Amino acid sequence: MKIKDILNSKKVTLSYEVFPPKAGASFEPVINAVDELCKDKPDFMSVTYGAGGGTSNNTVKIASHIQNDLGVTALAHLTCVSSTKEQVAKAIDEIKANGIENILALRGDIPKGGEYPVGEYYKYASELVKEIKSKGDFCVGAACYPEGHTECEHKADDIRNLKIKVDSGVDFLTTQMFFDNNVLYNFLYRIREQGITVPVIAGIMPVTNGKQISRICQLSGTYLPARFKAIVDKFGDNPEAMKQAGIAYATDQIIDLVANGVKGIHIYTMNKPDIAESIKKNLSYIIGDNQ
């Protein structure tokens, strides 16, 4: 089923993201995590694309297992950075051969110190979106950045670039993680003013380990509210307390989002089924088939 149809058919959706094993790591733990996560019956599940191509070969394999073996709609990630144009074409063919209808088109993170683009690579996600659309009847998603892309100096320019990407054929957007819901609400207002009307799914990262914070800030420049910082300062050195507090914070974020009309929630699970399951249980009467 196409994700754009799922988004239109339900008032509130809950979806999960998983990632393939690192190069050389065991495949079994990831499959076990996927199997457990699918027991929650998410509306769809996305599978990331390994940086530098190291784990990208597993993306379609995992997505196919999710959709064809477990009966959950799969969303396969595809990036410009990790694959040449020829490799992208082969990946799209493989995705199609496995009956997967949904692709998340991303530029991807440029390796530190690396030059990009070089050789036969797509430069922008908008180019990748057009290529995917030309290859078949795919539902194509893309990323958006409520706080602005780290490489873009001005938010207005970032939104103009987003409009170009959406106009190239994007059916829905998924946000980068954020910890202050007002950031998302302001972003939604700004993009709607610029004529971006596709559904926007809110990406939620449950922070259950205090050590995650420095890496999150380094990679994305995400704003951390004082309330969130206080939680990490108080519980960051107590793993079980931090886990419980992180689940509670993510749950509270989602409740507020749903109460304010956000209809799509996407949880970055970090391949941890117990955390996703705890959040879903906390939302059992808030996000349900009748919502």
Side-chain angles (χ1 to χ4, degrees):
M1 188 174 185
K2 290 184 172 65
I3 289 171
K4 63 181 180 181
D5 296 328
I6 294 173
L7 296 172
N8 287 331
S9 66
K10 296 190 67 170
K11 291 185 178 179
V12 179
T13 62
L14 182 67
S15 53
Y16 296 156
E17 179 179 286
V18 296
F19 55 83
K22 294 181 180 179
S26 173
F27 200 74
E28 186 177 0
V30 175
I31 292 297
N32 289 341
V34 165
D35 290 349
E36 287 299 312
L37 286 163
C38 282
K39 289 178 182 178
D40 278 351
K41 299 189 183 302
D43 290 291
F44 66 89
M45 189 178 297
S46 72
V47 186
T48 67
Y49 200 71
T55 60
S56 59
N57 292 335
N58 289 324
T59 299
V60 178
K61 183 177 179 180
I62 296 170
S64 179
H65 176 61
I66 289 168
Q67 183 160 300
N68 299 318
D69 299 333
L70 302 175
V72 173
T73 297
L75 171 64
H77 289 214
L78 190 57
T79 75
C80 301
V81 168
S82 295
S83 304
T84 64
K85 293 179 181 180
E86 181 180 355
Q87 290 170 329
V88 164
K90 289 180 180 178
I92 294 171
D93 288 341
E94 187 180 0
I95 289 168
K96 185 188 294 185
N98 280 271
I100 297 165
E101 300 178 288
N102 305 287
I103 301 176
L104 190 70
L106 305 163
R107 188 200 67 180
D109 295 326
I110 299 173
K112 190 174 182 179
E115 292 185 12
Y116 182 82
V118 293
E120 288 298 309
Y121 287 80
Y122 293 106
K123 185 175 182 179
Y124 300 114
S126 58
E127 297 172 344
L128 180 57
V129 171
K130 290 179 181 178
E131 176 65 13
I132 295 168
K133 285 289 188 176
S134 74
K135 293 292 187 179
D137 185 23
F138 291 104
C139 175
V140 180
C144 61
Y145 304 85
E147 297 174 71
H149 196 284
T150 54
E151 296 175 22
C152 196
E153 186 175 354
H154 303 292
K155 289 183 180 180
D157 292 335
D158 189 50
I159 291 175
R160 278 192 286 270
N161 292 335
L162 180 63
K163 182 69 163 59
I164 293 170
K165 183 163 62 175
V166 170
D167 288 347
S168 68
V170 169
D171 295 297
F172 67 93
L173 295 166
T174 302
T175 76
Q176 186 184 54
M177 73 189 85
F178 57 93
F179 298 100
D180 182 346
N181 286 358
N182 287 323
V183 169
L184 178 68
Y185 301 143
N186 291 333
F187 172 74
L188 291 174
Y189 178 79
R190 293 198 309 273
I191 66 171
R192 299 312 187 206
E193 273 198 324
Q194 297 304 313
I196 298 172
T197 60
V198 296
V200 177
I201 301 171
I204 299 298
M205 170 70 83
V207 177
T208 57
N209 182 329
K211 294 179 181 178
Q212 287 178 270
I213 299 302
S214 58
R215 179 165 174 78
I216 286 170
C217 294
Q218 181 182 6
L219 290 176
S220 63
T222 304
Y223 167 68
L224 301 179
R227 175 170 168 258
F228 183 83
K229 289 180 180 178
I231 289 172
V232 177
D233 289 343
K234 179 69 174 178
F235 305 116
D237 294 329
N238 184 331
E240 289 304 315
M242 187 64 227
K243 180 178 178 180
Q244 192 172 49
I247 289 169
Y249 191 93
T251 300
D252 187 55
Q253 265 194 281
I254 294 169
I255 291 170
D256 181 76
L257 291 168
V258 173
N260 282 281
V262 174
K263 297 180 179 180
I265 305 296
H266 191 61
I267 298 178
Y268 298 117
T269 71
M270 302 302 291
N271 292 10
K272 296 178 180 178
D274 58 326
I275 292 171
E277 182 181 2
S278 295
I279 293 172
K280 186 169 183 182
K281 282 182 178 178
N282 289 342
L283 302 168
S284 58
Y285 291 104
I286 293 167
I287 297 180
D289 292 337
N290 63 337
Q291 295 299 308

